[in-house]
């Protein structure tokens, strides 16, 4: 075990490497943190956290080399002032949270406690993205990063339902012998939430489905349900032979194809009962024999923050020729999947000429339908694309059909890679289209074998192809090359990618993610040692420069044509590495086929030499000590003659299949040793040999890439040799979503950093847009002095039309071993839910003062007004006659003031506090209490307070995006209303010529005044609360941008004529008093003396003495 100080030293050293930006493909050899929500080590290789209605509590342990928590290392980090950060992100959100830096005396973990509302305030059931979390020692420095996931189990739709009776462990085990195959489907937005279904043998009966919320990491976590009775409830008569055939989990619905029909759930977002309900879709003329050969097709897209144009489609195909009474053997429907339409209509009566629909998919990016056809009579296979009209495919194709070669004999399926526009067709060949089905390019040719299943990871862009002979092939989305992972010998299995791109092998009895996993998705441990992709034949090296070499593969002239592919370079070798046992390695850049010459060398591989190859020496081949003469001997052979007749320097039998290499000349493959001085050979470049060649000893060399004595070269996947650097935090998510409003644009900037020598400065990336009609794209790439490739991409909105398209950045030179080779941001020409407009008050009040309700200015005036309970603003009829429906600071248990007049009693309606008896039951959150929205007026308690008069108050408006803000200015003209119908206020704004033209055009249409938000000023001539709503005019933004703000006007003088009457009355009284005083003085009347005499005169003296006479 490394000492703890080593970790801190590495931490400090890493600070100076890649000190800014996001680095992909830097490699994570292992996970450093183990985290859980309950403080118990889970034993899982990755981090799985779950968000409930309570706070999110996370306990994190630092793993040492033995994968166990270390108190010593944790204490060392803590004493150094270091604690981890937790980053929570998805395609549109990025937030950082810090663990507590607390001395630990008896604990092994760091702890963080995050209130749910700090992560999300929503609790409604909806399709939402599963968050990716990253635990790191320092944000942005890629130090000790460990990835995990956070799932909101309050909102994920399928989790809220009971799928039937839960099976016991013993009941489940009794099903294993009768399982024929398994099917898996996963939530489009949360790939850790998945369903697995057993396809039972005909002798068995039942629908058995398992549900996981942690990505099948453990078999015990998966809950198994018996849905048989739920299916039976929808059947009328036939109950025998019931089993799952296929299943699809869309964003809002569950679709299950069984041997007795197709069943669709109700909308998963609105659970009316705890147990799921299914309805049966009717297909006239189709029976059990048809359903068991049916298949469901689905274009997986996540509809979190769903737009109006986003809708799920599902297709069902039946593997049979339709009869004349049937409309189709293929049907499709969009949610809620109540009406199923035929994919294609044909009036052709010739059954043999009717193409069989293998697959039909809806391409939502281009609003088109894509058919994968196969003609039974001609064995012709082709793809046709039709535009959608009124939700139905048009009979006229969008462009000419793409016809596959005749070697594509066994077509099986077509699908889109999730959240992308890469369209794959598969069978005995695999093809990919990057333009929506217009053209295709071959990825691989399996000849006599075929792909039976595929599995995809949207996060890492990994794709696995399961071949019927057990081989597992892999590729990356958008790549034209592939690799072999290994072979699985399980009779029944499937492969599944979880949210983070870890691959899992699923069998009826067990789930396996492997044991030796790296810090990111890795599949090697499931399949064991990586296979050698080499083939049993001799290779002939041919130098074309000091750093480049061609390898020609030898195919015997007598070998049957049908098996010659076994000794040829194939597409699987493209992008791989040739390694030699004597030292040396080269990366394969291209594969070439040779039709005629050189004879016997049918294919070649163009390679870049990364490490020089070891040559034969005179001990292994004494002939190297002799001079060599090469002559053309006729037919296709060349004769190699040793000019030295020394018996010690002759050819040996082991020299067969060795290659003679002479710099600047053709190479030769020794085919036969005729005698000790003579050999026959093939030439790699016969066309340049014009005469007899003679070479002295030491000027020619031998390489042994033959098979005599065993093959000593291999072909394997090359290591990742590219880093991708992104300067901003956007691509913390590999699949971010960017919104483009009308007239706006987004910019991306990347740096591709090669970690090895590049022979040619060829741009290593390709940029592809899914729907070029929707947006304009401009990509500029340059090389710097270090041969790093700098790519700048700008995407701008094109039309005032909503839509969505994928932007693909493919690192085509990167090997499949790289974690990130394809970045798939989604561009939405729509309104971002994070795009808002805000009013910036003219004065700042700290949050703590809003809570206390006191914030005084320099003159002692409190700038916060706490509204009276059940307050309603005045109306034009007077302060005591409110006419608005909006209550502020509502409390149903308290009396309603200003409610004496009949019209006031008729108005006023509670919103948040409706049908409750007290304010506590209104459930007003802190967010609602501070919100300016009229929808939360019941909760509003405090507002900005101003002294009368309010003149030329600046209405400053700013538009906020995900990470920046801009001032609202033309063309974002606005309208302003007072929500409580108050009138005594006015606005002043600037009217340049362009604004005046827009104002004159818009006001008759909107029937309300239109203002320029730049330099907008407000004057208020009334008292008490004014509640304004500012809205951007339609047509300049996809967003319904609006903002509300309140102003309470206080210290208002009495309204006319009250002030004048008081002044006049006061003047009259004072004047009267002065006049009376003047008259008293004139008449010498002293009222004070008279009063004094009156008072003293009333005081008489009496005596108690008596006189006796």
């Amino acid at each position: 075990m490394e000492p703890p100080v080593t970790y801190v030293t590495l931490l400090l050293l890493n600070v100076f490497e890649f000190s800014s930006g996001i680095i992909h493909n830097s490699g994570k050899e292992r996970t450093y943190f183990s985290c859980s929500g309950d403080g118990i080590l889970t034993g899982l290789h990755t981090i799985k956290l779950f968000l409930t209605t309570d706070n999110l509590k996370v306990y994190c342990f630092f793993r040492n080399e033995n994968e166990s928590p270390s108190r010593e290392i944790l204490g060392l980090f803590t004493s150094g002032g270091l604690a981890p950060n937790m980053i929570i992100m998805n395609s549109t959100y990025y937030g950082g949270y810090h663990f507590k830096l607390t001395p630990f005396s008896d604990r092994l973990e760091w702890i963080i406690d995050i209130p749910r509302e700090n992560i999300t305030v929503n609790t409604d059931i909806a399709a939402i993205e599963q968050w990716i979390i990253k635990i790191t020692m320092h944000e942005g420095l890629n130090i000790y990063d460990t990835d995990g996931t956070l799932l909101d189990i309050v909102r994920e739709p399928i989790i809220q339902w009971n799928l039937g009776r839960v099976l016991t462990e013993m009941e489940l085990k009794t099903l294993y012998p009768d399982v024929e195959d398994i099917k898996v489907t996963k939530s489009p937005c949360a790939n850790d939430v998945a369903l697995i279904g057993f396809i039972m043998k005909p002798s068995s009966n039942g629908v058995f489905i398992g549900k996981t919320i942690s990505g099948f990491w453990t078999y015990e976590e998966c809950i198994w349900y018996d849905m048989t009775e739920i299916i039976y409830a929808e059947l009328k008569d036939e109950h025998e032979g019931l089993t799952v055939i296929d299943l699809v989990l869309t964003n809002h619905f569950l679709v299950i194809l069984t041997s007795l029909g197709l069943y669709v759930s109700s909308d998963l977002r609105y659970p009316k009962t705890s147990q799921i309900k299914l309805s049966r879709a009717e297909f006239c003329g189709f029976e059990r024999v048809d359903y068991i050969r049916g298949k469901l097709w689905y274009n997986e897209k996540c509809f979190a923050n769903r737009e109006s144009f986003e809708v799920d489609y599902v297709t069902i195909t039946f593997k049979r020729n339709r009869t004349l009474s049937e409309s189709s053997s293929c049907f499709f429907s969009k949610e809620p999947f109540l009406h199923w339409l035929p994919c294609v209509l044909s009036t052709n009566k010739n059954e043999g000429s009717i193409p069989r629909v293998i697959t039909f998919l809806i391409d939502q990016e281009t609003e088109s339908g894509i058919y994968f056809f196969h003609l039974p009579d001609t064995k012709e296979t082709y793809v046709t694309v039709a535009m959608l009209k009124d939700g139905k495919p048009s009979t006229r194709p969008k462009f000419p059909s793409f016809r596959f070669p005749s070697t594509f004999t066994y077509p099986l399926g077509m699908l889109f890679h999730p959240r992308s526009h890469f369209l794959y067709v598969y069978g005995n060949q695999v093809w990919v289209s990057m333009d929506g089905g217009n053209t295709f390019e071959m990825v691989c040719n399996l000849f006599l074998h075929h792909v039976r299943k595929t599995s995809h990871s949207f996060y890492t862009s990994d794709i696995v192809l399961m071949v019927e002979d057990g081989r597992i092939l892999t590729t990356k989305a958008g790549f034209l090359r592939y690799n072999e992972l290994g072979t699985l010998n399980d009779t029944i299995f499937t492969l599944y990618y979880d949210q983070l791109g870890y691959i899992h092998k699923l069998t009826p009895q067990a789930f396996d993610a492997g044991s030796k996993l790296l810090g990111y998705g890795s599949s090697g441990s499931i399949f064991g040692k990586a296979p050698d992709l080499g083939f049993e034949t001799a290779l002939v090296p041919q130098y074309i420069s000091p750093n480049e070499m061609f390898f020609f593969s030898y195919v015997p002239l007598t070998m049957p044509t049908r098996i010659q592919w076994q000794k040829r370079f194939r597409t699987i070798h493209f992008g791989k590495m040739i390694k030699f046992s004597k030292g040396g390695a080269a990366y394969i850049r291209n594969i070439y086929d040779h039709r005629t010459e050189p004879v016997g060398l049918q294919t070649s591989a163009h390679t870049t030499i990364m490490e020089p190859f070891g040559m034969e020496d005179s001990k292994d081949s004494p002939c190297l000590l002799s001079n060599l003469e090469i002559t053309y001997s006729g037919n296709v052979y060349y004769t190699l003659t040793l000019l030295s007749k020394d018996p010690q320097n002759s050819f040996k039998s082991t020299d067969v299949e060795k290659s003679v290499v002479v710099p600047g000349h053709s190479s030769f493959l020794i085919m036969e040793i005729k005698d000790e001085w003579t050999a026959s050979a093939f030439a790699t470049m016969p066309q340049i040999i014009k005469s007899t060649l003679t070479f002295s000893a030491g000027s020619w060399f031998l390489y042994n890439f033959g098979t005599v004595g065993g093959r000593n070269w291999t072909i394997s996947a090359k290591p990742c040799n590219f880093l991708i650097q992104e300067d901003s935090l956007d691509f913390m998510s590999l699949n971010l979503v960017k919104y483009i409003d009308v007239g706006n644009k987004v910019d991306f900037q990347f740096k591709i950093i090669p970690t090895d020598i590049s022979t040619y400065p060829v741009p290593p990336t390709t940029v592809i847009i899914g729907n070029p009609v929707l947006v304009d794209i401009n990509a500029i790439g340059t090389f710097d002095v270090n041969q790093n490739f700098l790519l700048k991409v700008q995407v701008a909105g094109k039309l005032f039309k909503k839509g969505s398209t994928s932007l693909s950045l493919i690192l085509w030179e990167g090997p499949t071993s790289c974690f990130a080779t394809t970045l798939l941001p989604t561009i939405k020409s729509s309104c971002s839910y994070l795009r808002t407009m805000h009013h910036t008050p003219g004065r700042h009040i700290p949050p703590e003062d809003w809570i206390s309700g006191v914030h005084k200015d320099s003159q002692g005036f409190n700038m916060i007004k706490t509204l009276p309970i059940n307050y309603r603003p005045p109306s034009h009829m007077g302060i005591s006659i409110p006419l608005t429906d909006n209550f502020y600071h509502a409390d149903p248990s308290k009396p309603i003031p200003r409610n004496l007049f009949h019209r006031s009693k008729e108005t006023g309606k509670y919103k948040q506090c409706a049908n409750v008896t007290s304010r506590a039951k209104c459930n007003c959150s802190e967010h609602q209490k501070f919100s300016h929205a009229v929808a939360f007026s019941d909760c509003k308690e405090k507002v900005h307070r101003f002294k009368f008069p309010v003149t030329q108050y600046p209405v400053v408006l700013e538009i906020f995006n995900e990470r920046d803000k801009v001032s609202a200015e033309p063309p974002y003209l606005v309208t302003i209303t007072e929500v409580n119908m108050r009138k005594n206020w006015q606005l002043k704004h600037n009217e340049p010529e362009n604004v005046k033209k827009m104002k004159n055009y818009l006001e008759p249409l909107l029937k309300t005044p239109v203002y320029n938000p730049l330099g907008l000023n407000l004057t208020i001539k009334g008292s008490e609360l004014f509640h304004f709503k500012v809205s951007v005019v339609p047509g300049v933004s996809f967003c319904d941008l609006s903002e509300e703000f309140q102003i309470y006007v206080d210290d208002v003088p009495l309204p006319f004529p009250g002030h004048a009457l008081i002044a006049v009355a006061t003047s009259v009284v004072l004047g009267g008093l002065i006049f009376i005083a003047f008259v008293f003085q004139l008449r010498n009347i002293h009222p004070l003396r008279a009063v004094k005499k009156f008072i003293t005169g009333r005081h008489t003296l009496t005596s108690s003495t008596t006189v006796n006479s």
Side-chain angles (χ1 to χ4, degrees):
M1 173 182 170
E2 296 183 18
V5 70
T6 303
Y7 292 97
V8 178
T9 304
L10 291 173
L11 178 63
L12 296 175
L13 290 175
N14 274 298
V15 169
F16 301 101
E17 183 180 5
F18 305 125
S19 58
S20 65
I22 308 304
I23 303 293
H24 299 298
N25 300 334
S26 57
K28 300 175 186 176
E29 295 303 320
R30 65 183 180 89
T31 55
Y32 294 94
F33 292 97
S34 177
C35 304
S36 68
D38 53 11
I40 301 175
L41 282 171
T42 61
L44 296 181
H45 178 75
T46 187
I47 300 171
K48 300 291 182 183
L49 301 177
F50 303 96
L51 185 63
T52 65
T53 54
D54 300 325
N55 290 2
L56 175 65
K57 292 186 178 180
V58 183
Y59 302 81
C60 276
F61 310 85
F62 190 89
R63 296 186 178 202
N64 59 19
E65 292 293 331
N66 297 324
E67 298 292 315
S68 59
S70 172
R71 180 183 290 109
E72 186 179 6
I73 295 174
L74 183 141
L76 187 61
F77 278 126
T78 303
S79 62
L82 295 172
N85 298 336
M86 183 169 74
I87 300 169
I88 300 179
M89 59 187 170
N90 57 22
S91 64
T92 58
Y93 172 81
Y94 171 91
Y97 304 88
H98 302 279
F99 282 82
K100 295 178 181 178
L101 185 62
T102 308
F104 293 90
S105 57
D106 58 347
R107 286 185 292 183
L108 292 171
E109 75 276 358
W110 286 284
I111 303 175
I112 191 171
D113 190 345
I114 308 172
R116 177 186 172 91
E117 53 267 23
N118 288 6
I119 302 174
T120 178
V121 297
N122 298 316
T123 56
D124 59 307
I125 301 172
I128 59 167
E129 283 189 274
Q130 184 175 0
W131 287 289
I132 305 295
I133 64 169
K134 186 184 294 290
I135 309 295
T136 178
M137 263 300 174
H138 198 292
E139 183 177 344
L141 296 183
N142 308 293
I143 300 173
Y144 298 147
D145 288 356
T146 303
D147 293 339
T149 59
L150 173 63
L151 177 66
D152 190 344
I153 60 176
V154 175
R155 303 189 65 196
E156 180 61 32
I158 191 64
I159 298 179
Q160 318 306 321
W161 294 85
N162 175 13
L163 300 184
R165 184 178 64 86
V166 178
L167 293 174
T168 65
E169 183 179 356
M170 291 304 298
E171 288 177 320
L172 186 61
K173 288 182 178 180
T174 59
L175 299 177
Y176 296 159
D178 295 323
V179 177
E180 196 172 55
D181 201 356
I182 51 180
K183 287 285 185 178
V184 173
T185 183
K186 49 191 174 182
S187 171
C189 295
N191 283 181
D192 277 354
V193 178
L195 303 177
I196 178 172
F198 283 165
I199 301 178
M200 308 300 290
K201 295 178 181 178
S203 57
S204 298
N205 193 71
V207 173
F208 308 104
I209 290 179
K211 179 172 68 176
T212 179
I213 61 173
S214 63
F216 295 117
W217 274 91
T218 62
Y219 197 86
E220 293 73 21
E221 178 270 336
C222 184
I223 301 175
W224 290 89
Y225 298 91
D226 183 355
M227 300 186 68
T228 308
E229 293 301 324
I230 299 177
I231 300 293
Y232 280 168
E234 298 296 320
L235 287 174
K236 296 179 180 178
D237 43 25
E238 185 179 10
H239 286 187
E240 294 300 321
L242 175 63
T243 183
V244 171
I245 301 298
D246 205 349
L247 67 164
V248 165
L249 181 59
T250 71
N251 287 274
H252 307 133
F253 292 86
L254 173 62
V255 183
I256 304 177
L257 176 62
T258 73
S259 55
L260 298 181
L262 181 69
Y263 296 86
V264 182
S265 73
S266 58
D267 196 322
L268 299 176
R269 295 171 295 175
Y270 310 112
K272 297 179 181 179
T273 59
S274 60
Q275 184 163 289
I276 196 168
K277 298 294 183 181
L278 302 176
S279 60
R280 191 172 190 267
E282 298 294 336
F283 298 97
C284 181
F286 291 88
E287 300 176 351
R288 183 179 185 278
V289 66
D290 302 309
Y291 286 116
I292 62 176
R293 302 181 69 191
K295 187 168 178 59
L296 299 177
W297 306 93
Y298 172 57
N299 182 6
E300 180 184 318
K301 285 185 178 293
C302 174
F303 291 157
N305 309 309
R306 185 182 181 182
E307 303 287 343
S308 59
F309 52 82
E310 292 178 327
V311 63
D312 273 323
Y313 288 85
V314 171
T315 300
I316 181 173
T317 56
F318 298 97
K319 194 175 180 181
R320 75 167 189 174
N321 294 325
R322 67 182 181 86
T323 65
L324 297 180
S325 62
E326 295 166 351
S327 59
S328 180
S329 60
C330 168
F331 302 87
F332 77 100
S333 179
K334 67 178 181 180
E335 58 180 290
F337 308 112
L338 298 177
H339 306 288
W340 293 81
L341 304 175
C343 304
V344 61
L345 295 175
S346 175
T347 58
N348 198 325
K349 304 299 183 181
N350 183 0
E351 184 177 316
S353 63
I354 298 176
R356 182 171 71 87
V357 182
I358 300 172
T359 316
F360 174 74
L361 295 175
I362 298 295
D363 180 4
Q364 299 190 40
E365 291 192 23
T366 60
E367 297 181 356
S368 56
I370 306 177
Y371 296 93
F372 189 25
F373 283 128
H374 180 69
L375 278 170
D377 54 349
T378 62
K379 307 298 181 184
E380 190 177 4
T381 304
Y382 59 97
V383 166
T384 298
V385 182
M387 295 300 295
L388 293 182
K389 186 177 181 181
D390 298 328
K392 300 178 183 179
S394 172
T395 56
R396 178 175 295 180
K398 184 178 180 180
F399 28 68
S401 300
F402 181 88
R403 301 185 181 275
F404 296 96
S406 59
T407 53
F408 195 7
T409 57
Y410 194 52
L412 286 178
M414 177 178 68
L415 47 81
F416 279 102
H417 181 73
R419 308 191 193 186
S420 79
H421 204 238
F422 297 125
L423 180 65
Y424 286 85
V425 297
Y426 62 91
N428 67 305
Q429 296 175 354
V430 178
W431 296 71
V432 62
S433 173
M434 304 184 192
D435 54 11
N438 186 17
T439 60
F440 284 83
E441 296 180 83
M442 184 187 289
V443 177
C444 68
N445 188 350
L446 301 178
F447 299 98
L448 302 178
H449 300 283
H450 63 270
V451 174
R452 65 182 185 90
K453 286 183 184 180
T454 67
S455 185
H456 301 248
S457 169
F458 83 92
Y459 184 68
T460 62
S461 297
D462 284 329
I463 302 172
V464 287
L465 311 170
M466 290 166 264
V467 186
E468 99 288 347
D469 62 358
R471 283 182 296 154
I472 307 299
L473 310 179
T474 183
T475 185
K476 290 278 190 174
F479 273 30
L480 298 179
R481 58 183 179 274
Y482 66 104
N483 188 28
E484 184 175 335
L485 294 176
T487 301
L488 294 178
N489 298 319
D490 301 82
T491 304
I492 301 171
F493 75 92
T494 193
L495 297 176
Y496 152 85
Y497 281 107
D498 67 9
Q499 182 77 5
L500 284 178
Y502 287 97
I503 193 170
H504 302 250
K505 183 182 72 172
L506 310 181
T507 63
Q509 301 89 353
F511 304 150
D512 184 12
S515 55
K516 299 179 180 179
L517 300 179
L518 301 180
Y520 52 85
S522 173
S523 47
S525 58
I526 295 178
F527 308 101
K529 184 179 178 181
D532 175 15
L533 301 178
F535 42 98
E536 297 303 321
T537 192
L539 300 183
V540 190
Q542 172 67 62
Y543 276 99
I544 58 173
S545 78
N547 296 320
E548 293 177 273
M549 178 182 285
F550 271 84
F551 282 94
F552 292 83
S553 64
Y554 167 62
V555 179
L557 301 180
T558 58
M559 192 172 192
T561 304
R562 61 183 177 83
I563 58 173
Q564 287 182 358
W565 62 271
Q566 298 175 359
K567 296 184 180 295
R568 296 162 56 98
F569 283 109
R570 304 186 300 278
T571 52
I572 192 173
H573 300 122
F574 177 58
K576 303 302 185 298
M577 177 175 61
I578 297 178
K579 294 191 70 174
F580 191 44
S581 61
K582 289 189 175 183
Y587 292 167
I588 299 176
R589 299 177 58 88
N590 281 301
I591 303 294
Y592 296 98
D593 286 332
H594 308 290
R595 295 182 180 273
T596 55
E597 289 188 345
V599 177
L601 307 175
Q602 295 185 2
T603 59
S604 64
H606 178 203
T607 67
T608 299
I609 300 174
M610 306 310 299
E611 180 184 342
F613 289 101
M615 299 180 291
E616 297 292 281
D617 55 26
S618 58
K619 293 181 181 179
D620 299 322
S621 297
C623 60
L624 288 168
L625 300 176
S626 174
N627 297 336
L628 180 66
E629 180 183 79
I630 302 175
T631 58
Y632 181 57
S633 57
N635 201 357
V636 295
Y637 292 97
Y638 288 81
T639 299
L640 310 182
T641 304
L642 299 178
L643 300 181
S644 172
K645 302 304 179 182
D646 187 345
Q648 300 297 322
N649 302 335
S650 62
F651 284 118
K652 289 185 176 181
S653 59
T654 54
D655 291 333
V656 174
E657 292 191 355
K658 292 183 180 180
S659 302
V660 175
V661 177
V662 184
H665 294 80
S666 172
S667 297
F668 299 87
L669 176 64
I670 299 174
M671 299 306 304
E672 181 183 1
I673 305 298
K674 294 185 175 297
D675 56 44
E676 56 184 343
W677 318 112
T678 310
S680 61
F682 283 135
T684 58
M685 298 193 301
Q687 66 275 12
I688 70 170
I689 304 174
K690 305 299 183 182
S691 60
T692 299
L693 304 174
T694 303
F695 305 102
S696 61
S699 65
W700 62 281
F701 312 96
L702 281 179
Y703 286 87
N704 185 11
F705 285 91
T707 57
V708 176
R711 178 164 57 88
N712 50 16
W713 57 271
T714 60
I715 299 179
S716 59
K718 69 178 181 181
C720 185
N721 59 334
F722 284 96
L723 301 178
I724 303 176
Q725 182 176 359
E726 210 278 330
D727 290 334
S728 72
L729 297 176
D730 285 338
F731 275 86
M732 288 289 287
S733 170
L734 297 174
N735 308 85
L736 84 164
V737 175
K738 280 290 186 180
Y739 291 84
I740 299 182
D741 206 348
V742 178
N744 288 4
K745 60 186 178 182
V746 294
D747 296 294
F748 305 114
Q749 185 170 337
F750 308 92
K751 180 187 288 187
I752 312 300
I753 306 171
T755 58
D756 53 31
I757 301 172
S758 178
T759 306
Y760 298 110
V762 178
T765 59
T766 302
V767 181
I768 299 174
I769 193 72
N771 184 8
V773 176
L774 189 65
V775 295
D776 280 324
I777 183 170
N778 183 27
I780 300 175
T782 57
F783 285 93
D784 63 14
V785 293
N786 297 318
Q787 294 301 304
N788 300 324
F789 185 70
L790 306 177
L791 178 64
K792 297 180 180 180
V793 180
Q794 184 180 90
V795 184
K798 201 179 227 183
L799 304 170
F800 189 75
K801 178 183 178 182
K802 289 189 175 183
S804 174
T805 184
S806 60
L807 175 67
S808 307
L809 296 95
I810 308 168
L811 183 62
W812 60 268
E813 274 205 355
T816 55
S817 57
C818 285
F819 170 70
T821 58
T822 305
L823 303 180
L824 290 171
T826 297
I827 307 298
K828 287 189 177 183
S829 181
S830 182
C831 175
S832 168
Y833 73 101
L834 297 174
R835 185 172 174 84
T836 56
M837 183 170 68
H838 293 286
H839 163 62
T840 304
R843 53 196 183 181
H844 174 69
I845 299 178
E848 55 271 18
D849 289 356
W850 277 110
I851 296 174
S852 65
V854 178
H855 181 82
K856 296 183 178 181
D857 61 10
S858 58
Q859 299 177 356
F861 180 75
N862 188 8
M863 294 189 289
I864 299 175
K865 174 67 176 181
T866 300
L867 297 173
I869 291 175
N870 291 324
Y871 172 78
R872 284 188 293 170
S875 70
H876 65 280
M877 298 184 68
I879 292 177
S880 300
I881 312 176
L883 300 179
T884 179
D885 285 334
N886 302 316
F887 279 105
Y888 297 81
H889 201 173
D891 187 347
S893 65
K894 300 294 178 63
I896 300 175
R898 299 176 177 177
N899 205 34
L900 300 176
F901 295 92
H902 177 72
R903 292 193 63 180
S904 297
K905 293 179 179 180
E906 287 182 338
T907 57
K909 296 180 177 63
Y910 290 126
K911 295 184 281 290
Q912 186 91 353
C913 297
N915 302 319
V916 298
T917 57
S918 66
R919 181 168 178 79
K921 295 181 180 180
C922 297
N923 295 323
C924 290
S925 66
E926 291 300 316
H927 167 76
Q928 292 169 340
K929 289 179 181 180
F930 290 102
S931 173
H932 296 291
V934 68
F936 302 130
S937 67
D938 284 6
C939 300
K940 187 70 173 178
E941 297 178 357
K942 303 178 183 72
V943 295
H944 286 276
R945 183 179 179 225
F946 288 79
K947 279 186 177 181
F948 182 89
V950 178
T951 58
Q952 300 298 309
Y953 173 78
V955 182
V956 180
L957 300 171
E958 293 178 318
I959 298 176
F960 288 76
N961 296 310
E962 290 92 333
R963 300 193 182 279
D964 58 359
K965 62 180 180 179
V966 294
S967 296
E969 57 186 33
Y972 293 97
L973 302 186
V974 299
T975 62
I976 300 184
T977 57
E978 208 286 328
V979 300
N980 295 313
M981 301 173 292
R982 304 195 65 184
K983 301 295 184 183
N984 38 355
W985 55 275
Q986 64 182 19
L987 292 163
K988 180 183 286 188
H989 69 131
N990 300 321
E991 280 193 61
E993 192 61 31
N994 61 333
V995 172
K996 188 177 294 185
K997 289 181 180 180
M998 295 178 66
K999 179 180 172 69
N1000 294 336
Y1001 172 75
L1002 290 169
E1003 285 184 344
L1005 297 176
L1006 302 178
K1007 295 181 175 57
T1008 187
V1010 175
Y1011 302 95
N1012 179 5
L1014 207 58
L1016 185 63
N1017 293 313
L1018 172 67
T1019 297
I1020 300 177
K1021 299 180 179 179
S1023 63
E1024 297 199 14
L1025 183 67
F1026 286 82
H1027 187 158
F1028 296 99
K1029 181 175 183 179
V1030 186
S1031 303
V1032 172
V1033 297
V1036 297
S1037 173
F1038 289 124
C1039 299
D1040 182 16
L1041 293 175
S1042 63
E1043 169 65 327
E1044 298 179 40
F1045 63 95
Q1046 292 108 356
I1047 291 177
Y1048 192 94
V1049 183
D1050 217 340
D1051 288 358
V1052 181
L1054 289 174
F1056 180 83
H1059 183 75
L1061 289 175
I1062 292 174
V1064 170
T1066 303
S1067 300
V1068 170
V1069 170
L1070 289 175
L1073 291 175
I1074 293 172
F1075 177 75
I1076 293 171
F1078 172 74
V1079 171
F1080 284 176
Q1081 186 71 26
L1082 184 65
R1083 300 295 184 181
N1084 198 23
I1085 301 173
H1086 301 282
L1088 292 176
R1089 292 177 183 177
V1091 171
K1092 186 175 182 180
K1093 288 181 179 180
F1094 176 76
I1095 294 173
T1096 57
R1098 294 183 61 183
H1099 291 275
T1100 58
L1101 298 175
T1102 59
S1103 176
S1104 58
T1105 305
T1106 58
V1107 178
N1108 298 324
S1109 56

